[in-house]
Amino acid sequence: DNLLTGRIPSELGNISTLENVDLENNLLEGAIPEELYGVSGLKRVILTNNFLTGTISSSVGNLSLLTDLWLGNNLLTGRLSSDIGRASLLGE
């Protein structure tokens, strides 16, 4: 609830120790940066209640430690790739 605007910075993907991204309840727009899916230690991605667009990359399956993925109430389109099954801790 910070009323952040703009896009999620792709530079977040450069933070190798990043475990949690919680940008819920803001005014963020644009796509989820592909670089974010490359952060191998990422456990929680909370992006609910923004204006994010585009699709969820099949690279989400690369996040093997991911336990929480909250993307509701955005403008995302398309189907969720079956590659998400590789994120085997999701929902635990």
Side-chain angles (χ1 to χ4, degrees):
D1 286 78
N2 294 308
L3 299 180
L4 297 174
T5 61
R7 297 178 176 268
I8 298 171
S10 61
E11 290 81 7
L12 286 179
N14 297 331
I15 305 172
S16 60
T17 57
L18 188 64
E19 292 185 357
N20 298 298
V21 174
D22 187 345
L23 296 170
E24 180 178 31
N25 298 321
N26 284 289
L27 302 171
L28 298 171
E29 59 188 18
I32 299 169
E34 187 68 28
E35 293 83 356
L36 198 59
Y37 300 110
V39 182
S40 61
L42 204 54
K43 296 178 181 176
R44 298 182 78 226
V45 176
I46 312 298
L47 300 173
T48 310
N49 298 322
N50 281 287
F51 296 93
L52 299 174
T53 56
T55 60
I56 300 166
S57 172
S58 62
S59 298
V60 70
N62 296 339
L63 300 175
S64 60
L65 299 178
L66 191 67
T67 59
D68 294 289
L69 179 63
W70 299 2
L71 301 173
N73 293 322
N74 279 290
L75 303 172
L76 297 167
T77 58
R79 292 180 172 225
L80 194 55
S81 169
S82 62
D83 290 326
I84 197 166
R86 294 194 329 257
S88 60
L89 298 177
L90 194 59
E92 288 190 8

